[in-house]
Each structure stands twice: as structure tokens, then as C-alpha cells.
Amino acid sequence: MEDSKTRETLPRLLDLIPDEKEWKEREAQGPGRSRNTGFGDDEDKNLELKLGLPGLIEEKITAVPRDKGILQESPVLSLGYFPNPSKSTINTTTTGTKRGFLDTVEAKAEGCNEQKQQVRAGCANELALEEKIAAAGERKKGCCPPPPSHAPPAASVRNSGNRTQAQGRGASAPVVGWPPIRSFRRNLANSSSSKQTPEPPNGETSVKTKLTSKKNPLVKINMDGIPIGRKVDLAAYDSYEKLSVAVKELFHGFLEAQKDISGAESAWHGADEKIFSQLLDGSGEYTLAYEDNEGDMMLVRDVPWNAFISTAKRLRVLRSSELSHGLIGAALRRVANC
Amino acid sequence: MTYFPEEVVEHIFSFLPSHSDRNTVSLVCKVWYQIERLSRRAVFVGNCYAVRPEHVVLRFPNVRALTVKGKPHFADFNLVPPDWGGYAGPWIEAAARGCVGLEELRMKRMVVSDESLELLARSFPRFKVLVLISCEGFSTDGLAAIASHCKLLRELDLQENDVEDRGPRWLSCFPDSCTSLVSLNFACIKGEVNSGSLERLVARSPNLRSLRLNRSVSVDTLSKILVRTPNLQDLGTGNLTDEFQIESYFRLTNALEKCKMLRSLSGFWDASPVCVPFIYPLCHQLTGLNLSYTPTLDASDLTKMISRCAKLQRLWVLDCISDKGLQVVASSCKDLQELRVFPSDFYVAGYSAVTETGLVAISSGCPKLSSLLYFCHQMTNDALITISKNCPNFIRFRLCILEPKKPDAMTNQPLDEGFGAIVRESKGLRRLSISGLLTDKVFMYIGKYAKHLEMLSIAFAGDSDKGMMHVMNGCKNLRKLEIRDSPFGDVALLGNVANYETMRSLWMSSCNVTLKGCQVLASKMPMLNVEIMNELDGSSEMEENHGDLSNLSKVEKLYVYRTTAGARDDAPNFVKIL
């Protein structure tokens, strides 16, 4: 399975990292990887971990000297998905951003302050970028005055329809022009999802129920303490674990932006673990709950996955402390019984 | 042969099927050159900057059909900055001055303005065929001009263009006297069209063989139209949603049943699964089916339909069909020649329901498979080897593993052996796109076995210059080489420069070529345009560095092509031509 494979390759990756200069832009990998790569546990530079593509072989790292220029000043950390922003936002990655890759490097504490600023800048920009993406998706090529030169990265960022669907899969680094799909096809996905909001059926069409609404259930998800919600496509996952990871990917960037700088340092390395590790059993700081088709708030986890996705209308990430004691007790009992 | 009257020689030339044959005979002697050029009816220009439009028109004044291609292929994926070029204007203007007998114009990846379309519409009294593929820069007003003034229009075929919508008026511009339409494809038009105008247009077009509607056309209109087109061979439906009365769908089925010649079906858009069964009566006669614009159908909907299409030769579908669905395809569609499986989720680490299993199933069920485009998340060498043995007739093999550099999913090895098997077994392979984890070895295989390869697309592959050298030295028929994010540098770029004269173009982006390397290439090969493109930051970095340093700076994007036209004068400021 993927996880065991990545664990096998991890030791190789660790050995392959001679110095900071070889940081390559990587994509955050699927569920297991991002959590297991650790957060600065190792003092030894050689063991600095990074989120990388599986099976990345040694020769590749040395064969790409261009990356030497990328992170000489300090390792740049960017959490989660900062879709390739305009060059001005993340300064130390100019050459990196040219490629369209993102640095999803978990770095050590050194140079932390600069990183934090970048992260904050990145997080803040992410929201602004959402608007840009939405605008980019709707902008028509050619007939409108062409955008400035950083447009290609913006245009290549996946449009907001797609963004919400598969966030949780650990996809955080849209590469310019990848995958090689024509923009006509990319835009189709955008316009098609906007057309799928079901219209109220008139009398004559009672023969057909609104099957289309079932196909791509994009449900809203809100997290306590974060004013802005996200949307997630439940059909893109096939288990609660994967959904839980997805939720983490969706929100941890926002969380960091909300904490102040002094708190962020300690929060970073363990933050994700602490906050999101126990979403499903109620023992962590936050708990995942959903609103079902009858309007009731329910804890995630009780029903089989398929039943869950067909009845869940909204998701909430609640502070566990705000749940009633009774609920928490029940959750803990469930954990004990599993 | 020079003693024959010119008419006889000309007649003999008319039997030459291909452009390259005609090009060859024109080189024999001056007399033949003259005869050939004056009798040439079709000209194909693969790169609009390879030759001046005026020269083409001067040489072939009697040309009837002109095909011009503009931007490099990677422009489809936003790798070419906007305003790079590829303007149709100069071509249409030159033709308007020099060959007014023009009847057919086909353009791909070009920037076409409404003014150009207007000029086109007014300049060629016998104009019949306009095909625009992946073009941009025009609006429905330009189409209105075409509709209004091209009295003999037979084909208006718009494929996946980016057209600005200025209202439905354009369709109503076809005059009542226009009865010659054979093919009308406006599937990429985003806006609505007037259904009454459409119905009337179809009603007065008895020769209509191909009709592709956009998603705004309702089932009602579709069913009314189909009653008028019993000879239709190719149909692109409007939206097949469940917002309509069931009577409309019954009418649709009845109309479809009368279209005995209908072989090819596309469209569907946001089709509702309940509506698809109304298409079933058609399935047994279909040879072509494009469901790739339709994310609303799941694997079972798709397989229920496709399992009825025993004669299918060409299938385009989204990956929601899943491996199981592909197995159904493999057992139902024994004549399948072309398969394209597109991703429904563009995220690199997202989810795809198709894997190597589905492709292996297809290969064992459909041995005639010759053209493949397959997006998936994982592949194995074993699967590729099996596929290569099951299907030795590949002409086009394009595999895109969505995660760059992903190794064999079982063994974690590079996919060199798998692709090596493909090029070894399919001796007629002309087009190849590779992906996944790949070392220089795969290029060694390609150079050794892919002798007929004409187009190669490389992304995130290879270890060193040797990789690209294998290809440059081994693939003698290579016409287009496009490379991104691979560690090939100046040594590879300059390793076999003579090749670039026989190739149409080379694209390299995010590789290791430096400015110096490009300068050397440009100085060694004056008949090439060596275009380099750097993002704005890049060029300011280059200016800051001095002397040698600047020459060693990496070139972000490089586009090299042979040309008789010299450096083009319409290049934007981010393009430097060395």
C-alpha cells in the first residue's frame, strides 16, 4: 500500500539530503506522508525531512543544480497549499516559483521568524488568492486585456471549483501547466459544477428526481474559530480517515495565520498532530461533526461511510470542549471499544 | 518528363497524395517547380512563423485550402505566456491580397480577431470551410460576419476555442439563402442560441452531416432538429438534463431512431443518468462516442451505455469510468482503435478510479488499439509490458501519470522498462508522451527503437544530457520535441544541431539550458529562430548579473524552430530572439 511504500522510501530520502541547498519543491503527499514526516525532531541537517514525491531517486536531486539558488538564505516553509502566488509574495522562492512548484518543506526552527512571516503572508494571500483564482477561472483568454506577466501561474492554478473538491488528498502544489489538460476542459469542470445546483422541479418533471445533485456533493465545512468556511467533495474520499486528513489540509493554514507569532513556533511542529489527530474519536482538541438531512448535528464516525456521504449536508469541526460532557464521554467509550 | 505538355505533368502531380511528395517534385527542376506551385491546391503550414505568409501566397496563388498552426503544443497547458504570438491576421490579409480563390481555412492554436474574420468573410467569394481549433481572440460577432457573408459556407467547425460571447445573434445571421451547410460545430460557444433560428437553419440544410450543439440547446430543440436530419452522421447533443418533460425525451428517441446514418455522438454535458437511456437505441450503430465533457455520469451509467456499443472504434471518456468500467469496454468494444481517458480530478495527489489494471484489460480485449491518451495515478512496468504485447499497433501512445516522477506502483522502480517495451513492440509509433519516474534509460530505448517517432513529449524525466542525446541521435524522423522540467542542458541542446533543420520545433522549459547555450545554437544555426522567454523577474535578474554570469543563467523557456522568415517582428517584449 502507499503508506508502507513511502515509509520504505523515507529513509532513502533522509539520506539523500546533503544540505539545505538541495531542497526541491515537492508536493505534499497523501494522508500518511504529511503526518509521518515529522516536525523537526532531528537535529541533524542530513535528516531534515521533507514532503516529497515517492520514489524520488538520488540522482535526481543532484542533477538539478538550479535548485541551489532557491533556498540559500533560509529554508522556506510553506504549509499546505499555497497555489503558486504572484512572485511578490514569497520572496525567497523567486526561482522556485518560476517553476510553479511550491516548497512544502518542513523546516527547522532556524530562520523561523522569516518563515513565519512568509507563512502569515502566504496564509493571508491564500484568501486573496482564492478570489484571484475565481477571477482567473472566469476570465476569458484573449478577448480581454491580457493580464500582467504573472498571469500564467495564476491562470494555471486550478479553478476554485476543483480546489474544493480534492483538497484533502494532500495536493498542495499546483504545478504550472500540469496535468496537461487544455483549459477548455478545465473550465468545463468549473461551469459544470456551477450548473449542478439543482433547480426546484416543476410539477411535470416529477417523473425524474434530482439525481444530478447526488453526484458531486460539495458540502460546506466550518471550523470553530475560523470565520471562513471551505467546501469539500465527500465523494472524493472513501473513508473517514481520508476525510479527516482532508479536513486538516483545509484548515491548518488558517489556524496558523490566526495564532500570533510567538505562539506559532511551538504550535507548528505539533500543531497539526494535536489539533487534527483525534478528530474522529473526540479525544483531541477538535471533533468532527456533521449536520444530517434531518437537520440534526451528529458525530462523524457512527455510520458506514456510504451512508454518511449520502446523509451529510454540512460538516463542522467543533472544539471538543464545547461539546457536552455526555457526548465526549460517549466518544471516549467508543474509542475504548474499538 | 519535360517534353510532356504542362497539363499532363500537372495531371500526374494531382495523383500525389501528400504535401511532402509535392514538395519533393517541386525540387526536381524549375519547370516542375512552376507547374507544381501553380497547380497546388492545398498548403499545410505547420508553424506559422516558419515562413512568411506573403511568400506562401506568392508561391501558391491558386491555393484553395490553407492550414496554419500557431502556438507550440504546450500553449494548451498555459506554458506559453499570453501575447506570445500566433496571429492569424497576417495570413488572412496575405491571402486576401494574393489568392482570392481560397475556399478552406483551417487554423490551430492561433489568435484570430473579429476583424480578421470579417476580412475573411468579405474577401473570398468561394469560401466554404472554416475550421478553428484551440484558437482565441474572437467573439461571436466574428462568427456573425462569417455567417452573413459566406454564401457558400459548407463547414463551420469550432473545436475547443475560447470565444467571447456577445449574444445569440450570430446564428441568425445565416441568410435564408444559405442552404449549403454540411457541418456545423458550435459546441464551444458558451452562450445561448436562438432555438428558432437553429431549427430553421437545420431545416434548410439538407446536406447536413455533422452537427455539434452547445450545452444551451434543450432536448426539445434537439428532438425537433433531429427530425429534419435523417442523414446526420455526427451529432453533438445539447444538455441532457432532467429538467424537461419526459415527452421531450420520447420525441428524442423517436427522432434518433430515424437517424440510421448516425455514427458518432458527443456532447451530453451535465447529462442526467435518467436521460441517458433515451440514447440507447443509437448505441448499436455508433463508431465514435465522446463522453469526456460529462462529469455527471458514474461508472455504472457509462458502462450501461458503452456495453451496447459493439461497433465502437473511438471512445473518449472521463476516468470515473473506473477500471471495472474499462473491463466492460474491453469485453464489449472489440473494434476499439482509439481510447482517451481524461481525469475528472486535476489534483496531482487526488483520486482517480482508473489504474494500470483498466488499461491492461483494454489492451487484452481490444487488440486493434492504436491511439491512446490515458490519465491515471499509477502504472507499473509489468502492465506496460503486457499492454505492449497485446497491442503492437500503437501509432499514438500518450500516458500521463498525474503525479510527476511517480515510480512503478508495485516495485518502486522507474518505468523505463515499461515504456521501452511500448516503443519496442509498436514499431509504427509516431507519437509518444511519457510520464512517471524515468531515467536516461528510457531515452536510450526510445532512441534505439522508436524509429518512426515524429512527436515526443517529455515531462519530469531523465537524469542527464545523455537522455536527450539518445533521442536526438536515434529518432531520425522526429519533428516535434517538447520537454519540460527535465535535467537537460546545453550539452544536449548542442549535441546534434543539424537535427533542428529537419525538425519543426523544439520546446524546452524549466530545463538546464543556459543563455550561453542558446546563443551558441543561434550562432551555429542561422536558419533557426531561437526564442527565449523569461518571466519578468528572470529578465531583471539577468540584467543585474554581469558578464559571464548572465550567460550562465538558466533559460526558463526555449522555443527553437526552423524558419525561412527570419526573426519575427511581432514578438512581445518577454520574447528574445537570438
Side-chain angles (χ1 to χ4, degrees), chain B residues 375-445:
Chain B
F375 286 85
C376 59
H377 276 276
Q378 64 181 57
M379 187 50 59
T380 65
N381 283 309
D382 273 351
L384 284 172
I385 293 170
T386 306
I387 291 162
S388 73
K389 298 220 164 62
N390 289 341
C391 296
N393 300 316
F394 279 117
I395 297 192
R396 284 178 285 277
F397 188 91
R398 295 194 278 161
L399 179 66
C400 179
I401 301 167
L402 278 141
E403 186 183 321
K405 297 194 193 145
K406 184 155 185 184
D408 181 317
M410 303 278 282
T411 66
N412 253 351
Q413 293 300 303
L415 289 170
D416 301 334
E417 297 305 317
F419 281 104
I422 296 284
V423 294
R424 200 169 38 240
E425 301 294 331
S426 285
K427 305 196 182 354
L429 194 67
R430 293 208 303 257
R431 183 168 179 185
L432 178 66
S433 300
I434 56 180
S435 58
L437 183 64
L438 295 163
T439 71
D440 284 344
K441 205 166 185 208
V442 73
F443 298 110
M444 190 264 292
Y445 288 135

Side-chain angles (χ1 to χ4, degrees), chain B residues 508-557:
Chain B
M508 291 179 77
S509 59
S510 303
C511 298
N512 294 344
V513 290
T514 68
L515 179 57
K516 184 156 177 58
C518 297
Q519 285 167 337
V520 170
L521 178 64
S523 63
K524 273 193 183 176
M525 305 286 286
M527 70 296 294
L528 302 178
N529 273 357
V530 178
E531 292 195 10
I532 59 178
M533 290 169 253
N534 282 328
E535 310 298 310
L536 275 188
D537 302 12
S539 61
S540 60
E541 274 174 32
M542 277 164 54
E543 281 154 29
E544 279 162 23
N545 296 326
H546 307 291
D548 288 332
L549 275 180
S550 68
N551 284 350
L552 291 178
S553 61
K554 293 257 174 64
V555 165
E556 177 62 29
K557 291 175 186 169

Side-chain angles (χ1 to χ4, degrees), chain A residues 5 54 141 176 178 182 196, chain B residues 160 162 296 402-403 409 484:
Chain A
K5 254 184 247 130
K141 272 175 17 177
V176 176
W178 190 266
R182 280 189 188 162
Q196 268 169 5
Chain B
E160 298 194 350
D162 188 8
T296 45
L402 278 141
E403 186 183 321
R484 61 166 295 177

Side-chain angles (χ1 to χ4, degrees), chain A residues 183-309:
Chain A
S183 33
F184 179 78
R185 216 167 261 288
R186 287 181 190 267
N187 295 339
L188 267 187
N190 208 13
S191 53
S192 123
S193 56
S194 62
K195 278 195 187 306
Q196 268 169 5
T197 48
E199 286 148 19
N202 47 23
E204 296 95 359
T205 58
S206 57
V207 174
K208 306 159 199 86
T209 50
K210 289 297 171 186
L211 291 178
T212 47
S213 56
K214 188 181 157 190
K215 288 306 164 187
N216 280 334
L218 284 173
V219 298
K220 292 186 193 172
I221 175 167
N222 286 82
M223 180 157 176
D224 278 357
I226 297 176
I228 298 205
R230 305 298 306 268
K231 271 200 163 177
V232 64
D233 176 8
L234 294 177
Y237 311 104
D238 57 5
S239 74
Y240 286 116
E241 283 71 27
K242 291 191 176 147
L243 176 63
S244 175
V245 170
V247 169
K248 168 196 159 184
E249 301 281 276
L250 284 174
F251 284 112
H252 71 250
F254 289 113
L255 273 183
E256 301 321 314
Q258 299 216 336
K259 292 181 167 47
D260 55 8
I261 295 178
S262 56
E265 178 177 358
S266 55
W268 258 358
H269 300 304
D272 293 352
E273 292 287 351
K274 268 194 302 191
I275 292 173
F276 293 98
S277 59
Q278 311 303 334
L279 276 178
L280 297 172
D281 61 9
S283 61
E285 198 179 325
Y286 287 85
T287 303
L288 192 57
Y290 72 102
E291 186 182 304
D292 69 5
N293 50 6
E294 291 166 5
D296 301 322
M297 280 308 280
M298 313 289 290
L299 270 183
V300 165
R301 188 66 158 189
D302 289 331
V303 297
W305 173 258
N306 284 329
F308 165 68
I309 59 171

